[in-house]
Amino acid sequence: MPTDSSSNPTASSRLAPSPTGALHLGNARTFLVNWALAKTRGWRLVLRMEDLDGPRIKPGSEAEASELLAWMGLDWAGPPLTQSDDLSPYREAMQHLCDAGHVFPCALSRGEIKSAASAPQEGATDSAYPTSLRPETAGSSIAFLEEDHNYRFLVPDTTVVINDHFAGDHAFDLAGTTGDFVTWTRRATPAYQLSVVVDDIRQDVTDVVRGDDLLESAARQTLIYNALGHPPPRWWHLPLVLGPDGHRLAKRHGDTRLSAFRRLGMTAPRLIGLLATWCGCSSALQEMTMAEFLDAFDLDRIPRDPITFTEQEYAWLVSSS
Ligand code: GLU
């Protein structure tokens, strides 16, 4: 393992799968890099099951997710935190945000918001929430009473800059793109943006490593950190893995779930060998142990561009020799 001058034994990171039964090769690459960063820099690594992610969560997938991660050869400290076990930390955070006037209740449906959003600015998403729809009380201290109600975060009209340790500096104008985003849902559960911040704070996470599809979320989460009076973590957003057609790995590329490849005969050393090429630490497809991977791991060699999963790689992954 290369000696790393940036070793920081007080730092901590997390693996945060959503137990949907669909951990795929892209997730595996991010988790492996997260694990290797933790090992080479002396970080503590914890596991969190993000099972509040609504209808996509499949019963029983939690055990499957941790079994798959362990099968890959990943390890982590302590028992996993499962979000749905206790919603009180999220309620407390909401109470705080309500007290300080950072959130407001919103009963509008997605469709109503969309039709009210006239002349959206370039780059605006469907969910951009127009400021004209803010209630008059927005910005005032309110009670967090209606748990079966949407609450939105009052997004200031400022630029949020993310200094990402892998992806570099990125500036986000959230007021013009997402607008006031949801922190609590009418299903009486926290929205992803809130739960991830509350959990990273309570799990003492100092370093967040994940796919760069969540880079813009880092800006939203930074606003929540500021509102809760807590410094944001260091961010490390990695490029995604794409299918041969250049689109993000998804169902249209066939079954790219780890569980499916495993059923087809993929061994852990084959998987690690493929991921090693995607991390720039192996030039040819060859089986690799976790020890060999760690030895070759070097953050500076990870490609800056998205990875493409090719047909040849597919064939190699599931062939036995
Ligand atoms: N649970 C999320 C996912 O599997 C990751 C969220 C995060 O890392 O902040 O996509």
Side-chain angles (χ1 to χ4, degrees), residues 88-108:
S88 60
Y90 314 113
R91 289 200 188 94
E92 277 164 35
M94 275 304 293
Q95 189 59 67
H96 183 95
L97 295 176
C98 284
D99 283 348
H102 287 294
V103 291
F104 59 87
C106 166
L108 297 175

Side-chain angles (χ1 to χ4, degrees), residues 14-19 23 27 31 48-50 53 56 192 196 200 208-211 213-214 221 235 248:
R14 66 354 183 232
L15 305 172
S18 300
L23 282 186
N27 300 125
F31 291 147
R48 175 164 80 235
M49 291 296 168
E50 302 214 314
D53 199 0
R56 293 190 306 134
Y192 158 73
V196 79
D200 282 337
V208 167
V209 182
R210 59 190 181 189
D213 52 335
L214 291 172
Q221 289 158 20
W235 308 105
R248 189 187 165 162

Side-chain angles (χ1 to χ4, degrees), residues 19 58-65:
K58 299 211 173 62
S61 292
E62 206 177 300
E64 183 192 313

Side-chain angles (χ1 to χ4, degrees), residues 147-210:
E147 291 214 354
D148 53 355
H149 218 80
N150 285 329
Y151 282 80
R152 288 179 180 269
F153 190 93
L154 199 56
V155 170
D157 193 7
T158 52
T159 301
V160 182
V161 177
I162 297 299
N163 308 117
D164 191 283
H165 286 245
F166 187 83
D169 292 353
H170 291 265
F172 294 94
D173 162 31
L174 294 177
T177 52
T178 67
D180 302 333
F181 58 87
V182 174
T183 55
W184 189 270
T185 79
R186 65 182 86 208
R187 294 191 306 251
T189 52
Y192 158 73
Q193 303 292 351
L194 178 74
S195 59
V196 79
V197 170
V198 170
D199 292 338
D200 282 337
I201 292 175
R202 68 191 173 126
Q203 289 192 290
D204 294 322
V205 169
T206 56
D207 291 84
V208 167
V209 182
R210 59 190 181 189

